């Protein structure tokens, strides 16, 4: 049974035509989860996975009309609610928390007859870029046990790379879908902010968070996006923008922007030449490569590390030991309960962000930090809108290089934060961005190219990216 090489669409076709049963397919992926247990990518396999697959098979046998994802096994990042199932955000605080309802994105998968088979490891509350900040242990890179999987959606990326599911959902606040996808040779899409509902996604930084797919191909990403996108009355930040199918594109005559301020930083990468070579190949195929100036890019990392902890600390205020699961015992009053529960429940990285966020929001500092950072966010949005009047897409590296070694950055948080240098800007500007594999580094591990598109032009971005892939293979 050659499932590995199939696209999602082909897989669905074969399940619907009964060439494979949904149950067989689910069991195939479950066997891989078992085989690669040591990677620590999956925190829980849902016990009803096979039962749900059997249900799908019964529906097919009865001649019922099934959805776009009929029988397709999916793993969700452990910060998305799925009613009746645990959702821990890889935190001790939520270790026994059971979802009271289902997030919109997951519900949309279920509505198309997908089989949700488990939940993936991640950095605690999605804070991190290596998946080492999980309360349940780090998730290892798909191809090298000594390297990180990337983060925060590391478990989701490794699960797809090692065929533990047909695709996975991740969430991306500053790169958490794209960076682990890059580190594990997968395709990772962060849709336009407002494209996919955040209802039922445990909030990290609400003005930046977006759910998106991690897949083996751009085609698969397109299909999943079509399923999960859409206006949702439960999330007022979702946009009423139709997801317009893109006409096929031809590289000839397309304009690709290279942000000069990004290029300056990319020169520090060992693999700069690989990205320059991609530009040459695109030019040879008839595309124009043009330089774009966005000086505010230089403020993106610092602005992100003000906005993100500020919003995170507000969102985490609800974890107080009264609601949710971790409740400290032996306390002498309400304040002591809050303090002890939070001390016990949160890991070090989460505490660090809470400290940073409270500092940035405290009186006297609010104007200097948060307000200014929000100004940069707004300016970046405008600058990208202007840039896309001139170019069809912007290209840049996803990361500085291959997945780094486990433990190499945990003692130096700033060096870990600096890893987000290429991904953060798309979240601040709200534009869609996708990472696709574009070669291998010195250790033979994957590298990623990031393609950034215009607001709400997600499908055209994917169409363009597909054409780019043909040139860089
Ligand atoms: N690495 C970034 C951070 O730690 C991004 C995280 C994310 O996108 N969830 O904030």
């Amino acid at each position: 049974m050659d499932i590995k090489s199939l696209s999602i669409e082909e897989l669905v076709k074969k399940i619907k035509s009964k060439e494979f049963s949904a149950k067989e397919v689910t069991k195939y992926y479950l066997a891989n989860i078992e085989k690669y247990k040591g990677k620590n990518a999956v925190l829980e396999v849902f016990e009803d996975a096979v039962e749900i697959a059997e249900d799908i098979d019964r529906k097919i046998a009865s001649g019922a009309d099934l959805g776009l994802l009929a029988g397709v096994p999916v793993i969700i990042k452990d910060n998305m609610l799925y009613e009746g199932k645990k959702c821990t955000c890889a935190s001790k605080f939520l270790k026994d928390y059971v979802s009271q309802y289902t997030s919109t994105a997951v519900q949309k998968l279920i509505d198309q007859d997908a089989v949700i088979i488990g939940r993936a490891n991640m950095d605690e509350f999605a804070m991190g870029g290596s998946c080492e900040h999980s309360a349940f242990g780090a998730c290892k890179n798909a191809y090298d046990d000594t390297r990180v999987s990337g983060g925060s959606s590391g478990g989701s990326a490794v699960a797809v790379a090692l065929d533990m599911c047909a695709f996975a959902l991740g969430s991306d606040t500053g790169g958490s879908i794209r960076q682990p996808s890059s580190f594990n040779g997968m395709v990772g899409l962060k849709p336009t902010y407002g494209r996919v509902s955040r209802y039922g996604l445990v909030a990290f930084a609400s003005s930046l968070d977006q759910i998106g797919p991690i897949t083996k191909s751009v085609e698969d990403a397109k299909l999943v996006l079509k399923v999960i996108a859409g206006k949702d009355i439960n999330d007022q930040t979702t946009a009423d923008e139709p997801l317009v199918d893109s006409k096929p594109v031809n590289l000839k005559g397309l304009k690709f922007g290279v942000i000069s301020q990004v290029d300056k930083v990319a020169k520090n990468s060992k693999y700069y030449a690989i990205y320059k070579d991609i530009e040459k190949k695109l030019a040879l195929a008839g595309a124009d490569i043009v330089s774009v100036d966005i000086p505010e890019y230089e403020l993106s990392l610092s602005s992100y590390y003000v906005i993100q902890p500020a919003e995170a600390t507000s969102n985490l205020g609800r974890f107080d030991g009264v609601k949710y699961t971790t409740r400290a015992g032996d306390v002498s009053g309400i304040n002591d309960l809050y303090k002890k529960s939070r001390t016990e429940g949160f890991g070090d990285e989460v505490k660090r962000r809470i400290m940073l966020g409270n500092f940035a929001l405290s009186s006297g500092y609010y104007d200097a930090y948060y307000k200014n950072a929000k100004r940069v966010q707004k300016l970046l949005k405008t600058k990208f809108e202007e840039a896309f009047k001139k170019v069809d897409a912007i290209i840049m590296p996803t990361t500085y290089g291959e997945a780094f070694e486990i433990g190499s950055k945990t003692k130096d948080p700033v060096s870990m934060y600096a890893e987000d240098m290429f991904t953060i800007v798309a979240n601040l500007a709200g534009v869609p961005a996708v990472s696709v594999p574009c070669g291998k580094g010195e250790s033979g591990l994957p590298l990623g190219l990031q393609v950034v598109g215009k607001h709400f032009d997600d499908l055209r971005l994917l169409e363009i990216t597909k054409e780019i892939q043909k040139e860089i293979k």
Side-chain angles (χ1 to χ4, degrees):
M1 190 163 56
D2 180 26
I3 291 179
K4 199 178 170 66
S5 61
L6 297 177
S7 69
I8 298 175
E9 208 183 330
E10 287 166 339
L11 184 61
V12 171
K13 232 185 236 164
K14 288 187 191 283
I15 292 173
K16 283 186 175 174
S17 67
K18 299 187 207 129
E19 196 169 320
F20 304 146
S21 69
K23 182 178 175 180
E24 271 177 294
V25 172
T26 297
K27 284 197 154 174
Y28 162 82
Y29 288 114
L30 294 182
N32 283 337
I33 295 178
E34 185 57 34
K35 180 169 166 195
Y36 296 112
K37 232 177 173 170
K39 294 288 180 187
N40 203 19
V42 179
L43 293 178
E44 183 186 354
V45 172
F46 298 137
E47 55 182 20
D48 57 0
V50 174
E51 238 170 83
I52 293 174
E54 283 171 341
D55 250 7
I56 305 277
D57 286 328
R58 267 192 293 274
K59 280 190 200 160
I60 292 172
S62 75
D65 202 13
L66 276 100
L68 289 169
L69 298 174
V72 175
V74 185
I75 286 179
I76 55 175
K77 186 175 178 177
D78 198 20
N79 57 354
M80 292 167 203
L81 303 186
Y82 179 16
E83 193 181 342
K85 304 283 192 281
K86 268 192 194 175
C87 177
T88 73
C89 289
S91 178
K92 245 168 70 185
F93 222 121
L94 292 174
K95 64 182 190 315
D96 300 315
Y97 180 73
V98 175
S99 300
Q100 305 295 301
Y101 63 95
T102 300
S103 50
T104 300
V106 173
Q107 189 58 51
K108 281 177 176 252
L109 299 179
I110 296 169
D111 291 346
Q112 293 297 330
D113 300 308
V115 183
I116 316 292
I117 61 171
R119 50 189 177 90
N121 202 358
M122 58 186 275
D123 284 297
E124 184 176 1
F125 285 104
M127 297 174 184
S130 66
C131 212
E132 293 168 285
H133 301 307
S134 163
F136 307 113
C139 168
K140 296 167 185 158
N141 188 278
Y143 313 108
D144 184 341
D145 279 353
T146 69
R147 305 282 180 128
V148 299
S149 58
S152 58
S153 316
S156 299
V158 171
V160 182
L162 295 177
D163 233 21
M164 302 184 204
C165 54
F167 72 88
L169 288 187
S171 68
D172 191 311
T173 306
S176 279
I177 289 176
R178 289 160 287 155
Q179 186 250 31
S181 296
S182 170
F183 281 177
N184 296 284
M186 296 294 108
V187 172
L189 169 72
K190 180 204 88 70
T192 305
Y193 182 78
R195 190 47 104 192
V196 180
S197 171
R198 293 180 293 113
Y199 180 66
L201 168 72
V202 179
F204 172 9
S206 310
S207 75
L208 306 165
D209 298 342
Q210 222 9 226
I211 291 177
I214 297 179
T215 55
K216 284 183 280 193
S217 72
V218 171
E219 270 309 311
D220 284 357
K222 217 195 264 177
L223 176 60
V224 179
L225 180 65
K226 283 184 183 169
V227 171
I228 62 174
K231 173 96 187 135
D232 180 10
I233 48 158
N234 290 318
D235 173 3
Q236 292 306 318
T237 61
T238 48
D240 213 352
E241 291 276 344
L243 190 67
V244 187
D245 242 322
S246 162
K247 288 191 219 84
V249 297
N250 189 330
L251 286 180
K252 208 166 167 191
L254 280 193
K255 281 201 170 66
F256 288 105
V258 173
I259 302 174
S260 51
Q261 290 78 9
V262 172
D263 200 54
K264 212 167 101 191
V265 178
K267 280 192 180 127
N268 299 326
S269 160
K270 258 192 231 167
Y271 303 108
Y272 183 64
I274 291 189
Y275 296 98
K276 291 293 114 181
D277 195 45
I278 292 172
E279 289 171 25
K280 272 189 214 136
K281 285 180 177 153
L282 296 178
L284 271 174
D288 277 339
I289 310 291
V290 296
S291 177
V292 178
D293 253 346
I294 303 187
E296 292 76 9
Y297 168 77
E298 284 165 1
L299 300 170
S300 59
L301 191 66
S302 45
S303 302
Y304 173 86
Y305 275 97
V306 170
I307 295 170
Q308 164 265 114
E311 294 184 7
T313 194
S314 310
N315 281 325
L316 292 176
R318 66 184 63 134
F319 299 102
D320 55 6
V322 179
K323 307 179 279 292
Y324 311 106
T325 56
T326 292
R327 184 186 185 101
D330 192 23
V331 295
S332 59
I334 189 81
N335 281 331
D336 200 35
L337 170 69
Y338 291 162
K339 196 169 151 190
K340 284 198 177 132
S341 301
R342 288 168 74 84
T343 304
E344 286 171 21
F346 291 137
D348 287 348
E349 184 56 31
V350 177
K351 286 178 185 152
R352 191 174 291 125
R353 309 258 177 148
I354 291 173
M355 298 289 285
L356 281 171
N358 277 310
F359 178 79
L361 291 177
S362 52
S363 74
Y365 293 114
Y366 177 86
D367 284 346
Y369 293 109
Y370 188 69
K371 223 166 153 185
N372 273 333
K374 281 305 243 190
R375 257 185 220 140
V376 173
Q377 185 176 14
K378 210 166 165 193
L379 269 173
L380 279 167
K381 183 168 181 261
T382 315
K383 289 295 173 82
F384 272 81
E385 278 164 4
E386 279 167 18
F388 285 117
K389 287 183 186 146
K390 289 181 264 175
V391 300
D392 294 281
I394 287 171
I395 49 173
M396 59 169 103
T398 309
T399 64
Y400 280 108
E402 300 165 291
F404 46 88
E405 268 162 36
I406 291 179
S408 64
K409 292 186 195 289
T410 35
K411 298 219 163 51
D412 180 4
V414 175
S415 77
M416 185 85 91
Y417 299 165
E419 281 292 311
D420 304 331
M421 201 63 217
F422 301 112
T423 47
I424 271 169
V425 69
N427 301 76
L428 287 170
V431 286
V434 59
S435 177
V436 289
C438 71
K440 297 260 161 77
E442 279 171 350
S443 318
L445 293 172
L447 298 170
L449 170 74
Q450 205 186 168
V451 191
V452 183
K454 200 168 125 181
H455 290 103
F456 297 107
D457 229 4
D458 310 57
L459 288 180
R460 181 151 190 269
L461 166 71
L462 292 177
E463 202 58 39
I464 293 173
T465 306
K466 217 172 71 189
E467 291 308 306
I468 296 178
Q469 278 195 308
K470 288 182 191 158
E471 293 305 318
I472 63 179
K473 267 195 183 137

